[in-house]
Amino acid sequence: MYWEQTAAMRIENKTSTFQDIERGVRQGCVLFSLYSEIIMQNLENHPGIDVGGQNINNLRYADDTVLIAENKEDLQKLLNIVEEESRKKGLELNSKKSEVMVISRKQESPKCDIFSIK
């Protein structure tokens, strides 16, 4: 759908030269949204956190996704599922744009190393 796409930057009245777009999807891409929904359906029966009696293990907005778990083992399982299902659809996660955040009441935050299954 996006073969041979190019883009340029425009600042005020000046436009840069057009460059080839080598990766990614357009903002709001319906195909990406469908793939994302199919991928995330595989997380439905996996633990997350309880919010008002509902199990929540992911939050999504556009192409951003947050995986939520009570411990690093469960978080690693969620990530493994998302990576595996993404690969089946020809998608891959960008580990350079990924972060882990630990929320804890402990004096010192627990270490949480999560690894890609590449």
Side-chain angles (χ1 to χ4, degrees):
M1 186 154 51
Y2 300 122
W3 295 88
E4 299 179 23
Q5 294 290 304
T6 60
M9 300 240 336
R10 184 174 54 213
I11 300 173
E12 294 179 2
N13 293 333
K14 294 182 181 180
T15 303
S16 70
T17 57
F18 280 80
Q19 302 291 320
D20 291 335
I21 299 173
E22 296 179 13
R23 335 179 103 191
V25 294
R26 289 185 179 164
Q27 191 74 20
C29 173
V30 174
L31 186 58
F32 177 81
S33 296
L34 289 171
Y35 276 21
S36 176
E37 183 61 31
I38 292 166
I39 291 164
M40 292 306 178
Q41 284 178 357
N42 290 281
L43 300 180
E44 282 182 4
N45 297 318
H46 294 276
I49 60 170
D50 182 75
V51 177
Q54 289 282 351
N55 178 53
I56 306 293
N57 59 21
N58 73 88
L59 300 172
R60 292 174 279 155
Y61 181 77
D63 63 344
D64 294 319
T65 301
V66 177
L67 299 177
I68 304 168
E70 287 191 2
N71 57 61
K72 67 181 181 180
E73 292 80 17
D74 287 344
L75 183 58
Q76 184 67 60
K77 288 177 188 174
L78 294 174
L79 178 60
N80 292 350
I81 293 166
V82 170
E83 280 191 308
E84 184 178 325
E85 295 301 320
S86 294
R87 249 188 231 109
K88 289 178 184 177
K89 302 287 183 251
L91 302 172
E92 65 182 62
L93 291 131
N94 186 340
S95 59
K96 292 176 185 172
K97 292 183 174 182
S98 301
E99 296 287 335
V100 174
M101 182 168 115
V102 176
I103 299 172
S104 174
R105 291 186 176 146
K106 296 181 180 178
Q107 195 77 3
E108 191 172 314
S109 287
K111 190 160 177 69
C112 185
D113 295 320
I114 303 299
F115 301 96
S116 175
I117 58 173
K118 285 184 179 178

